[in-house]
Amino acid sequence: MIVTKPPMGWNSWNMFGANISDALIRQSADALVESGLRDAGYEYIVIDDCWSLRERDAEGRLVPDPEKFPEGMKALSDYVHSKGLKFGMYSCAGTKTCARYPSSFEHEFTDAATFAQWGVDFLKYDYCNKPRIDGDLLYKRMGLALATCGRDILFSACNWGADNSVEWIKSTGAHMWRSTGDIFDSWQSVKDLAVSQIERQPYFSPCCFNDMDMLVVGLRGRGNAGLTGCTDQEYRTHFSYWAILQSPLMIGCDIRQMDAATLETLTNPEIIAINQDPAFRQPYLILNWGRSQLVWAKQLEGGDYALGLFNLDDDSRHMDFYWWDLGLPAAAGYALSIRDLWLHEDIGIFPEGMGLDVPAHGCRMFRARLTRR
């Protein structure tokens, strides 16, 4: 299985934690379709930790909790598929999951076969309670089990960037890998994860996408990952940063009860197009002022540029940058025509660079196209 674009979908953990059920997953699948999120590109419905009984059955297989999932996982998977969506589940490489449920350690091939029988399309594979075995071997085990289970299952390796995984994660068969610690619904958490990716920028690549953790857009301080919450501007900055750095976009809020601002952020087609651009070229920094004023650039299919200006400071900042830092010399005779992706309007032609005010905790996202001067 080859995954050629950052996956998009919804995961139960950030909002619901252990409070999951068959009804919740079905309602969330319905909401993904009815809200327009599916049509915007979000296709995975993923159940996180706490879905099974505390013990395996007599044949050593995982057993869905019959109180939470009375019809079992195959019936639920069939329902998700009937909505034109894909079905995801959770396990762990350690001796227990993070919530201390049975993990897949020493059961990798049995579990992969079970997931295939249930119609699973996506496996989030965590790293809690790790035994004294090299992490790459633990992920290679499951990578091989999934590759030979008879079904295409996207392998989401969630080891938080630990144990120098940047050096070996692509060898495991993972299609995406967590390059950060856990996210929480606060500006400080979003900022910390954003800054942590500066050094990991060279490892962003297609087929094994850096996962900066699930989105907190729309949590508003509620749920399992809720803390102080963020403003709508901070949520837009969060979404834009994840998009231009080609992270998978996995929604974490209660999509059954989204407000209009949340839906507008999550379905912005011009921002999603940057994340899903088919060239998937490496993003790079053209401005890094104190690790708080950042301009990320990425060359897109067809020669356009994506430009993301991010002010992580607590005060408004003026940010100047120039086209030669993109590899476009002034002597080439070109300017850039700039489109604002949040305002959805063309803002002008700029011959050599730009200077803009960016509000505190804010961002500006642009698509830039070459034009003759």
Side-chain angles (χ1 to χ4, degrees):
M1 180 182 183
I2 299 174
V3 176
T4 59
K5 60 182 181 179
M8 298 173 62
W10 174 87
N11 180 290
S12 62
W13 185 254
N14 279 357
M15 184 69 195
F16 298 102
N19 298 317
I20 51 177
S21 67
D22 182 281
L24 169 67
I25 302 307
R26 289 173 188 255
Q27 292 166 12
S28 297
D30 293 344
L32 205 72
V33 175
E34 293 164 4
S35 65
L37 286 166
R38 182 192 63 182
D39 293 341
Y42 298 92
E43 60 178 345
Y44 290 97
I45 290 281
V46 182
I47 302 171
D48 212 285
D49 203 352
C50 310
W51 59 266
S52 76
L53 291 179
R54 295 284 183 176
E55 301 293 336
R56 291 174 176 267
D57 68 13
E59 286 74 40
R61 293 173 300 195
L62 293 166
V63 181
D65 185 329
E67 292 188 5
K68 294 179 177 179
F69 301 98
E71 296 185 44
M73 288 302 177
K74 181 61 168 66
L76 182 54
S77 171
D78 288 345
Y79 184 82
V80 170
H81 291 148
S82 76
K83 296 292 181 176
L85 301 169
K86 296 180 180 179
F87 181 60
M89 295 190 69
Y90 168 98
S91 191
C92 185
T95 56
K96 294 285 186 181
T97 73
C98 296
R100 305 202 65 79
Y101 285 80
S103 74
S104 292
F105 177 64
E106 295 292 340
H107 296 272
E108 291 89 354
F109 286 83
T110 298
D111 290 354
T114 299
F115 296 144
Q117 291 168 6
W118 289 345
V120 171
D121 305 295
F122 180 113
L123 179 66
K124 176 182 173 182
Y125 204 52
D126 224 330
Y127 204 49
C128 291
N129 303 301
K130 175 185 174 293
R132 292 190 177 183
I133 297 174
D134 288 347
D136 64 326
L137 296 179
L138 292 173
Y139 280 93
K140 285 172 181 172
R141 288 182 180 188
M142 183 52 84
L144 180 59
L146 292 175
T148 57
C149 73
R151 182 177 179 83
D152 282 344
I153 299 178
L154 189 151
F155 186 19
S156 172
C158 181
N159 85 324
W160 330 307
D163 296 333
N164 297 315
S165 57
V166 295
E167 299 177 1
W168 50 259
I169 196 64
K170 292 181 177 66
S171 72
T172 68
H175 301 108
M176 54 187 273
W177 66 285
R178 270 282 294 283
S179 56
T180 71
D182 288 354
I183 195 169
F184 294 94
D185 188 19
S186 74
W187 171 248
Q188 189 62 52
S189 177
V190 170
K191 177 181 177 179
D192 289 346
L193 295 194
V195 171
S196 77
Q197 298 308 286
I198 294 174
E199 282 71 34
R200 291 186 170 168
Q201 163 262 341
Y203 301 96
F204 285 76
S205 66
C207 303
C208 189
F209 293 96
N210 287 36
D211 174 15
M212 295 168 60
D213 205 5
M214 297 166 290
L215 299 166
V216 295
V217 176
L219 277 183
R220 303 202 181 280
R222 301 185 300 267
N224 190 52
L227 288 179
T228 60
C230 295
T231 66
D232 286 328
Q233 178 169 272
E234 290 165 346
Y235 284 140
R236 285 193 296 271
T237 300
H238 164 36
F239 188 69
S240 299
Y241 201 99
W242 268 234
I244 198 169
L245 265 66
Q246 359 193 97
S247 175
L249 300 177
M250 302 298 291
I251 300 168
C253 69
D254 186 350
I255 54 176
R256 304 170 304 171
Q257 302 179 23
M258 288 181 297
D259 56 43
T262 296
L263 183 61
E264 181 182 7
T265 295
L266 292 173
T267 58
N268 183 322
E270 297 190 85
I271 302 296
I272 291 173
I274 299 302
N275 180 258
Q276 300 285 295
D277 182 77
F280 297 112
R281 294 191 177 94
Q282 178 180 314
Y284 56 97
L285 279 172
I286 61 173
L287 177 68
N288 178 4
W289 186 263
R291 300 171 70 87
S292 60
Q293 298 170 53
L294 308 171
V295 177
W296 286 95
K298 184 170 71 165
Q299 191 181 76
L300 304 173
E301 182 72 7
D304 287 1
Y305 288 98
L307 299 172
L309 286 65
F310 298 93
N311 177 18
L312 308 182
D313 276 346
D314 296 332
D315 298 300
S316 177
R317 300 296 182 192
H318 186 82
M319 300 170 69
D320 291 302
F321 56 102
Y322 301 92
W323 302 154
W324 54 71
D325 291 320
L326 297 171
L328 179 63
Y334 285 95
L336 289 180
S337 176
I338 304 296
R339 180 170 178 80
D340 189 304
L341 303 186
W342 282 109
L343 296 178
H344 304 295
E345 63 183 29
D346 298 325
I347 63 170
I349 295 174
F350 296 78
E352 294 186 9
M354 295 180 72
L356 294 169
D357 292 325
V358 183
H361 305 180
C363 74
R364 302 288 301 272
M365 284 286 287
F366 302 111
R367 190 178 189 110
R369 177 162 296 173
L370 283 174
T371 184
R372 282 288 183 184
R373 287 162 59 174

